[in-house]
């Protein structure tokens, strides 16, 4: 041993041994168990350290690769498991400071020069030291070492943004921050910590945080792990900054610096020793040399709001509010914009402005959300210091307008919210730069502008200073300006904001505002209108403003004060006399054949004000009998004198003729307003005419036709422009949208008076303007724009559309005509087609409709008209090749029309329209599909049969059978499909082909069901159908009829299945009523034989020797055949199949078929569980198979085989939730039949399997699927009707089951994250168990175990959908206990209330209004980044889930209230719990309303002494909440309740 030791030690120290050999020897000594060295780890580590120290001190010369390998050797030792185990066992390993200093020096060298020599290994060594507490003590023992390391690590990351070692570098930074944070918290000397921070760490931390927030390393990062690491580092930097710069110990220093320096009597001795932390921080922040110049401003801008937030987090208290403000001007002074002089806008680029304004926004946000600014306190105590600062900021923002930057608007909005007086001195400039003269095009900037202007409106509306605001607004509008360059005054968002304010204002304020606008219009605009384009534009702006004021003021009523009514009437008369008529006169006097822009604007203003006046005059006269309209007498005279209406009082008919001539060619606002005037005239005529005289009807028809005819040409072409429904934004390109919007919005008024041609025109435009595809050009999110397509789509889906019979019929006519044209374009030149297909080739559609009406009238109940004529025509054409051949373009056009037809209500068509549309669609379905792609052809046929099915669900569906027999339709459809199937190049299991099989089968079944319901010659029709299918079924096994392909067999199988499904129940029902004709059972027997044969053909052995698996569409054929077979041969009281001689052979073949399918389904049942339709059919077959013991094999138990197969299904790893819900009834039916047919021993086997699956050892083995299978089985078992020994056995096992569920729940809740996939089914099955066991569970302890589960259900940190699901299931368990186990609950009310309180708390938590400002600030911080991974802090999208949960809480309150005797004692505690928790959050109003409705019911249980007790015992905040709650309770709930009592017997 000594020799080994001496040899290794000597060789490592020997100068003759090469370094290559030394490294190999050292490596061998470390890893080898045969090398025994005393204190080997320390010896080898010291050797490597000494070698590295000697090299870096120039005492030893080594090659670069040797140095690299020495670092790697040290790293291997530090990361070795052996060293970690030694350290855990308490062994001491000493790292010398020399090694740590070298590490720091090399990292510093890397940060300064980018030298990457050995840096990866050095960083790894550093990570190894810091990750082991026993080794990291060398850093934490000397704070200057960890400070230097952290500083250089941060600088390295900032200066080397890309590199192979980026990930390792950030891991080391994360560890170093951890250690420094702990060291910082242990430091007792705040000045030393502050010095270390500001001297070494402040700048690199801020730069690194900015780069992380900007997503500098996102591209090189690795997904979610990087995002988590980045977020952790940022949060630790924030903690380091707060703990070092804003320690609580430094509060006095900040106060001395920021507050006492302002006092003149501060002693000089104090100033000499004063620590000025704020000056130090700001000096370090603005120093120019620590970062590149292009990055410096960005770092400063992102840092000022961070520093201010950290300062507030540390020191904000009520007594420190002014101190917190004093920091704000200093931090604001760090920004570039604070030093800008007026007119220096070009000094900063747009990106710089964006950055700086975002920083200002965040600073102001912090002021607003922290309640730092108190207007009264600032004025009284501090001489308006804060106010003057905010004024300076406001002046800076307004003097340097940045309307393209959303943050500029948001800053002004916050200032307005703080105090409107801050912006009031510059209100005119604010309105000009932020609204009237602002050039805002970008969506986010528009939204921010709308929020600002909305805030201005709301502020002045609350202050009742709207006239003053409008005084400033009018001054800005009337300033000299290039009006044509201004944007529309009232776009959608601004108009809505102004409307909302007007609705809240008293009418006197609105009349003052109205008068101001009128005065300004008269004094400044009217005298200068002639030939002045700018003035004409100003007139248009003021007109739109007047329109907005008049349309959105409160309407007069008979309760209004008479002076207000008189003043309103005077304003109306003045406006008509002094503004509207002069504008119309000016328009006529100065109009030229080719109008100039100013003339067009004058025209728009005159007509807009005329329309506005007429609309308001009509509304006021309707609602207020004391308002006397000037238009009343003249309107009556107009009905007797002329068809041309007097649209305004005092404006003669001749004048309107001239006005119409002037604007005849106009396609702008004036034309639109003239149409509105005519519409108003129509409405006034309808209101004031008691009986519709001939003259009145003539006038109405003229007016409605005039509205429609005025602009027919504008809708001849589609336009994609979008209109925001504001008159001020109207222009020539938007006129078609506005015109169509006007017509569609008023169709119910116009349609009764339009002639037939006009109705057809409207229907044609509607069809033409419907969207051609579902993906239309998207509009800006949140905007209330309309387009031609949106208007037409809204009309198409409107419930009023079918009520407008004339338009609906005309629209249907247009669709049918268009479809017919497409079909005719694909027809061959055959002269007889016009006779064979009259519904396609008729020239006049209305003649065709009349033909069908006549024909249907001739066909009586006995069918005088021969119905076989059309059928023979169809059959001959289909068999010989249908003469209409459609190509791809035609199919696409028809599919677009099909989308329109699908949106129509086809269930209420007139018989003639119904028949015509049916045969049109029928012709399409049987048309020859030319050289079309298979997917398109299949899609076309699927849509055809879907529409035919929908049409035949209508009330006039039987009218089709008066023209053509059901059997004939059946034969034509199947013949056509068989021919088409032979041509399709598609696989038999293709989803599109299977969908065609399904929809065609639905249509055929629908035909036969209607045949049975109407009792339309059942034997004749079913006989023809059976004979037709028999012919093809026989041909399926021969080569006669060309149906050898599997697709044709599948079609025949679908048809036979539907025949048996329809005929079987019919025969069974009639046999029970002793009404069955002998022919129907025979037809059913034939269909069964054919169906069995066809199934055999569809299940022929494949290439692998196994039978072919049936698709889901065809799998339903097997249980159908079995069900009909059983109904035919099983008789009541006869358990075995009757031996009918004629059918022995068929029965034997069917038995073989059933057994083969049974065997196949047992194997494939788990695979089928993913397809709902297939799985349901398989379960139905197995259920029916159990009913026929003669089919069962004697070698194995059918019960056991089916149960094990079902168990495999329930143990499957991925069964979609919808599939489980859809198939649960079928699984339940199968299990019910199994338990009914088998013995108690079999039931015990199932129960034993469930208990084994619920055993807690399954959870310990992580055998999740076994547990889930047991829970699903138990759920199904509880829903089966059980009686006798089986029920007794189940409830005797109940204690074991509940205990097992509780243990499984506990294990699932201990997992991280919580295994909701287990928790939710447990809650669901527990609720069912408690409901079913209402009379069977006798031991209260077993019910109490449910509370153990409820009290540990996870309701926190869940996604919205998960929360809603878990909440509902928890509520159901609680409700089951309340309803079904009331005696147990009486002894466990505290547990019940605790469980319910958890539900209430979770709703309060999820229903709180999230901190939007915080999220908003986070988003603003990341504006220069792609760091989209920041979590959203609040969303209204989750509200529906929370509302549903709040509704359940309210319902539980109501159930508690119904049990007054049990809960009266606890009612004050329920109320106290509610108010205590609700005071901590701000709830969304809908959530709060629901919870309040519930707690009102609990207050009903409280007596007066309980109310006094609550007032005395609640804490101050909760007491205030209770006071408001009780006040609302008395005002709304109790008063209403007592009012209802008076009407209760």
């Amino acid at each position: 041993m000594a020799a080994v030791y001496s040899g290794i030690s000597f060789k490592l120290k020997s100068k003759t041994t090469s370094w290559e050999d030394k490294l190999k020897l050292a490596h061998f000594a470390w890893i080898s168990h045969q090398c025994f060295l005393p204190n080997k780890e320390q010896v080898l580590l010291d050797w490597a350290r000494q070698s590295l120290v000697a090299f870096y001190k120039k005492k030893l010369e080594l090659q670069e690769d040797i140095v690299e390998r020495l670092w790697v050797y040290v790293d291997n030792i530090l990361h070795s498991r052996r060293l970690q185990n030694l350290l855990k066992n308490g062994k001491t390993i000493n790292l010398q400071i020399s090694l740590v200093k070298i590490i720091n020096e090399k990292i510093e060298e890397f940060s300064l020069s980018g030298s990457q020599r050995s840096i990866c290994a050095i960083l790894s060594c550093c990570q190894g030291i810091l990750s082991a507490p026993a080794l990291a003590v060398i850093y934490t023992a000397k704070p200057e070492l960890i400070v230097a390391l952290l500083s250089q690590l941060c600088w390295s990351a900032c200066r080397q943004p890309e590199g192979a070692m980026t990930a390792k570098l950030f891991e080391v930074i994360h560890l170093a921050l951890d250690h420094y944070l702990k060291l910082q918290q242990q430091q007792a000397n705040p000045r030393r910590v502050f010095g270390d921070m500001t001297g070494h760490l402040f700048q690199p931390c801020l730069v690194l945080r900015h780069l992380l927030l900007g997503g500098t390393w996102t591209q090189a990062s690795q997904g979610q792990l990087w995002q988590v690491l980045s977020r952790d580092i940022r949060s630790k930097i924030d903690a380091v900054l707060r703990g070092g710069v804003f320690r609580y110990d430094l509060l006095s220093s900040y106060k001395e610096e920021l507050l006492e320096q302002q006092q003149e009597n501060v002693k000089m001795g104090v100033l000499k020793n004063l620590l000025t932390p704020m000056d130090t921080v700001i000096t370090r922040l603005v120093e120019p040399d620590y970062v590149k110049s292009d990055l410096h401003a960005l770092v400063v801008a992102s840092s000022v709001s961070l520093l201010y937030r950290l300062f507030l987090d540390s020191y904000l208290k009520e007594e420190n509010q002014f101190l917190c403000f004093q920091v704000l001007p200093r931090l604001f002074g760090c920004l570039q914009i604070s030093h800008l002089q007026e007119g220096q806008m070009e000094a900063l680029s747009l990106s710089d402005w964006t950055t700086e304004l975002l920083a200002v926004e965040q600073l102001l946000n912090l002021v607003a959300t922290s309640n730092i600014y108190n207007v009264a306190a600032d004025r009284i105590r501090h001489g308006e210091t804060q106010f003057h600062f905010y004024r300076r900021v406001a002046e800076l923002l307004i003097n340097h307008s940045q309307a393209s930057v959303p943050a500029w608007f948001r800053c002004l909005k916050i200032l307005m919210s703080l105090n409107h007086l801050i912006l009031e001195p510059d209100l005119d400039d604010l309105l000009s730069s932020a609204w009237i003269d602002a050039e805002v095009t970008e969506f986010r900037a528009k939204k921010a502008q709308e929020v600002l202007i909305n805030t201005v409106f709301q502020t002045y509306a609350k202050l009742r200073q709207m006239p003053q605001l409008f005084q400033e607004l009018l001054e800005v509008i009337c300033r000299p300006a290039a009006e044509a360059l201004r944007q529309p005054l009232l776009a959608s968002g601004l108009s809505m904001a102004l409307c909302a304010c007007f609705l809240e204002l008293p009418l006197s304020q609105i009349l003052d505002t109205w008068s101001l606008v009128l005065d300004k219009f008269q004094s400044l605009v009217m005298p200068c209108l002639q030939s002045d384009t700018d003035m004409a534009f100003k007139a248009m702006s003021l007109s739109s403003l007047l329109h907005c004021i008049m349309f959105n003021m409160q309407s007069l009523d008979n309760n209004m004060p008479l002076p207000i009514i008189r003043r309103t009437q005077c304003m109306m008369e003045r406006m008509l006399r002094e503004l509207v008529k002069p504008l119309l006169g000016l328009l006529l006097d100065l109009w030229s054949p080719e109008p100039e822009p100013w003339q067009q604007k004058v025209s728009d203003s005159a007509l807009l004000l005329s329309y506005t006046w007429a609309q308001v005059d009509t509304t006021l006269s309707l609602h207020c009998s004391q308002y006397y309209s000037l238009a009343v007498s003249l309107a009556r005279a107009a009905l007797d004198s002329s068809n041309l209406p007097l649209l305004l009082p005092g404006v003669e008919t001749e004048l309107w003729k001239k006005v119409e001539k002037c604007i005849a060619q106009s396609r702008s606002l004036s034309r639109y307003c003239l149409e509105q005037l005519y519409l108003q005239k129509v409405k006034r005529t309808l209101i004031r005419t008691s009986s519709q005289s001939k003259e009145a009807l003539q006038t109405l028809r003229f007016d409605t036709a005039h509205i429609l005819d005025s602009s027919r040409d504008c809708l001849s072409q589609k336009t994609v422009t979008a209109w925001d429904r504001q008159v001020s934004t109207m222009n020539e390109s938007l006129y078609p949208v506005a015109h169509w919007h006007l017509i569609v919005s008023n169709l119910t008024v116009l349609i009764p008076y339009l002639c037939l041609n006009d109705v057809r025109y409207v229907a044609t435009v509607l069809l033409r303007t419907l969207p051609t595809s579902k993906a239309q050009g998207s509009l800006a999110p949140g905007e209330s724009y309309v387009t031609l397509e949106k208007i037409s789509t809204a009309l198409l889906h409107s419930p009023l559309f079918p009520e407008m019979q004339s338009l609906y019929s005309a629209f249907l006519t247009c669709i049918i005509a268009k479809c017919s044209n497409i079909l005719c374009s694909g027809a061959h030149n055959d002269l007889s087609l016009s006779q064979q297909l009259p519904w396609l080739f008729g020239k006049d559609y209305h003649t065709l409709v009349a033909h069908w009406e006549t024909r249907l009238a001739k066909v009586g109940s006995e069918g005088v008209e021969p119905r076989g004529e059309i059928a023979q025509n169809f059959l001959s054409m289909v068999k010989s090749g249908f003469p209409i051949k459609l190509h791809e373009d035609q199919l696409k056009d028809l599919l677009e029309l099909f989308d329109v037809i699908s949106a129509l209500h086809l269930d209420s068509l007139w018989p003639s329209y119904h028949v015509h549309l049916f045969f049109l669609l029928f012709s399409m379905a049987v048309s020859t599909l030319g050289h079309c792609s298979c997917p398109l052809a299949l899609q076309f046929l699927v849509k055809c049969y879907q529409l035919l099915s929908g049409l035949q669900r209508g009330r006039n569906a039987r009218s089709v059978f008066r023209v053509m027999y059901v059997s004939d339709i059946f034969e034509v459809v199947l013949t056509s499909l068989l021919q088409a199937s032979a041509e399709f190049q598609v696989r038999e299991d293709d989803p599109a082909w299977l969908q065609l099989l399904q929809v065609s089968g639905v249509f055929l079944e629908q035909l036969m069901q209607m045949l049975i319901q109407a009792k339309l010659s059942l034997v004749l029709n079913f006989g023809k159908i059976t004979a037709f299918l028999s012919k093809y079924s026989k041909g399926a096994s021969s080569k006669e009829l060309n149906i050898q392909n599997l697709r044709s067999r599948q079609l025949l199988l679908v048809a036979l299945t539907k025949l048996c499904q329809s005929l079987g129940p019919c025969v069974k029902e009639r046999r029970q009523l002793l009404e069955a004709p002998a022919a129907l059972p025979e037809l059913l027997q034939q269909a069964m034989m054919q169906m069995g044969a066809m199934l055999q053909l569809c299940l022929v052995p494949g290439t692998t020797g196994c039978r072919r698996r049936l698709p889901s569409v065809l799998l339903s054929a097997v249980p159908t055949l079995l069900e009909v077979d059983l109904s035919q041969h099983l008789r009541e009281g006869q358990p075995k199949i009757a031996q009918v001689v004629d059918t022995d052979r068929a029965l034997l073949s069917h038995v073989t078929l059933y057994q083969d399918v049974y065997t196949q389904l047992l194997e494939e049942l788990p695979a089928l569980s993913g397809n709902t339709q297939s799985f349901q059919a398989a379960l139905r077959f197995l259920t029916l198979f159990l009913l026929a013991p003669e089919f069962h094999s004697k070698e194995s138990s059918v019960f056991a085989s089916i149960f094990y197969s079902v168990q495999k299904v329930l143990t499957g790893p991925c069964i979609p939730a919808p599939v489980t819900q859809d198939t649960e009834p079928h699984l339940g039916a199968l299990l019910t039949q199994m338990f009914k047919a088998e013995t108690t021993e079999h039931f015990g086997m199932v129960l034993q399997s469930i208990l084994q699956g619920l055993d807690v050892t399954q959870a310990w083995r992580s055998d999740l699927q076994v547990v889930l299978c047991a829970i699903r089985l138990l759920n199904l078992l509880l829903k089966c009707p059980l009686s006798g020994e089986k029920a007794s056995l189940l409830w005797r096992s109940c204690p074991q089951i509940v205990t097992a569920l509780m243990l499984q729940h506990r294990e699932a809740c201990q997992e991280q994250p919580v295994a909701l996939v287990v928790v939710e089914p447990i809650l669901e099955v527990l609720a069912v168990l408690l409901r079913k066991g209402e009379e069977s569970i006798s031991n209260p302890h077993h019910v109490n175990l449910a509370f153990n589960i409820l009290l540990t259900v996870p309701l926190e940190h869940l996604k919205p959908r998960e929360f809603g699901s878990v909440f509902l299931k928890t509520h159901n368990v609680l409700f089951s206990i309340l309803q079904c186990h009331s005696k147990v609950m009486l002894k466990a009310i505290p547990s019940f209330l605790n469980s319910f309180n958890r539900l209430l708390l979770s709703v309060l938590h999820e229903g709180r209004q999230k901190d939007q400002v915080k999220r908003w600030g986070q988003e603003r911080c990341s504006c220069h980044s792609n760091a989209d991974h920041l979590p959203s802090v609040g969303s209204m999208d989750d509200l529906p889930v929370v509302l549903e949960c709040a509704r359940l809480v309210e319902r539980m309150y109501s159930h508690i209230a119904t049990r007054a005797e049990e809960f009266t004692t606890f009612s004050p505690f329920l109320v106290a719990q509610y108010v205590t928790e609700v005071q901590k959050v701000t709830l969304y109003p809908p959530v709060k309303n629901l919870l309040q409705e519930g707690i009102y019911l609990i207050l009903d249980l409280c007596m007066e002494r309980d109310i006094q007790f609550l007032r005395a015992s609640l804490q101050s905040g909760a007491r205030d909440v209770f006071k408001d709650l009780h006040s609302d309770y008395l005002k709304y709930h109790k008063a209403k309740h007592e009012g209802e009592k008076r009407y209760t017997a």
Side-chain angles (χ1 to χ4, degrees), residues 1397-1538:
N1397 187 49
R1398 294 191 73 237
L1399 295 180
L1400 174 65
L1401 289 176
S1402 67
V1403 170
L1404 292 174
H1405 180 268
E1406 296 297 328
R1408 73 194 190 284
Q1409 293 186 25
K1410 311 299 192 294
D1411 187 358
Q1412 298 287 346
V1413 175
K1414 182 178 179 181
R1415 177 179 62 82
W1416 189 38
Q1418 287 175 333
E1419 290 174 354
R1420 300 285 79 76
C1421 284
S1422 59
C1423 73
H1424 293 286
S1425 72
N1426 50 7
D1428 297 328
H1429 52 271
L1430 283 173
S1432 176
V1433 183
S1435 172
M1436 290 289 288
D1437 297 339
D1438 308 340
L1439 195 55
V1441 174
V1442 183
L1443 278 175
E1444 187 57 38
C1445 296
R1447 209 167 279 116
L1448 292 173
V1449 170
E1450 182 204 10
R1451 195 178 80 166
M1452 187 63 77
Y1453 274 132
S1454 70
H1455 287 297
I1456 291 173
T1458 58
R1459 296 172 175 268
E1461 294 180 4
E1462 294 94 328
F1463 285 99
T1464 299
T1465 308
F1466 296 92
S1467 56
F1469 298 101
L1470 280 168
V1471 176
Q1473 186 69 50
Y1474 172 80
V1475 295
T1476 302
E1477 298 301 333
V1478 84
Q1479 67 155 341
K1480 300 175 185 177
V1481 294
T1482 303
L1483 295 172
Y1484 284 115
V1487 178
K1488 185 178 180 181
N1489 292 340
L1490 285 170
L1491 295 179
Q1492 277 188 343
E1493 288 298 324
I1495 205 68
Y1496 288 161
L1497 300 174
I1498 304 302
L1499 282 169
D1500 284 339
L1501 304 181
C1502 293
M1503 300 179 185
E1504 184 58 33
R1505 66 171 182 269
D1506 297 328
I1507 302 299
Q1508 297 301 329
F1509 167 72
L1510 288 168
R1511 284 175 177 161
S1513 60
L1514 288 172
Q1515 298 293 329
S1516 58
R1519 192 184 305 124
D1520 295 336
V1521 174
F1522 175 71
K1523 182 179 178 182
D1524 294 339
L1525 176 69
H1526 192 254
S1527 173
D1528 291 343
Y1529 163 75
L1530 295 175
K1531 183 177 179 182
Y1532 300 113
H1533 179 79
K1534 194 169 184 179
K1536 177 185 174 184
H1537 187 58
E1538 289 178 352

Side-chain angles (χ1 to χ4, degrees), residues 1176-1188:
Q1176 289 177 357
L1179 293 176
R1180 185 162 154 256
F1181 172 82
L1182 292 174
T1183 306
L1184 291 169
F1185 191 80
L1186 282 167
L1187 293 172

Side-chain angles (χ1 to χ4, degrees), residues 2-12 25:
V4 171
Y5 168 76
S6 302
I8 290 177
S9 178
F10 175 77
K11 289 181 180 179
L12 288 176
L25 185 61

Side-chain angles (χ1 to χ4, degrees), residues 42 94 318 436 905 921 1363:
Q42 187 70 58
N94 293 319
E318 191 171 347
I436 307 300
H905 297 271
L921 292 170
F1363 171 75

Side-chain angles (χ1 to χ4, degrees), residues 150 153-162 166-175 177 203-239 241 291 295 298-299 302-303 306 1418-1431:
L150 186 55
L153 286 171
C154 292
W155 282 128
S156 300
C158 297
R159 293 166 181 165
Q160 309 289 334
E162 294 181 2
T166 301
K168 180 66 71 177
L169 181 59
F170 279 104
E171 289 176 15
V172 179
I173 290 173
H174 189 263
L175 288 168
L177 283 167
Q203 292 172 340
C205 282
L206 289 181
V207 177
L208 179 61
R209 189 185 187 282
H210 168 77
L211 294 175
L212 284 171
L213 197 59
T216 303
W217 293 277
T218 301
Q219 299 301 323
S221 64
Q222 297 177 354
Q224 190 68 27
L225 291 176
W226 163 253
Q227 294 176 12
V228 173
L229 180 62
S230 171
R231 187 168 60 247
D232 285 351
I233 291 175
R234 290 201 311 271
S235 64
K236 289 183 185 303
I237 289 175
D238 293 353
L241 288 169
V291 70
L295 195 60
L298 297 175
V299 173
S302 68
S303 300
L306 168 68
Q1418 287 175 333
E1419 290 174 354
R1420 300 285 79 76
C1421 284
S1422 59
C1423 73
H1424 293 286
S1425 72
N1426 50 7
D1428 297 328
H1429 52 271
L1430 283 173

Side-chain angles (χ1 to χ4, degrees), residues 489-508:
L489 182 67
L490 291 174
S492 176
L494 298 176
S495 178
M496 290 171 62
L498 190 55
C499 295
C501 291
F502 280 142
L503 291 174
E504 297 175 2
L505 281 178
L507 199 53
S508 58

Side-chain angles (χ1 to χ4, degrees), residues 49 378 595 1043 1162 1433:
R49 174 188 58 77
D378 180 52
I1043 51 172
L1162 286 182
V1433 183

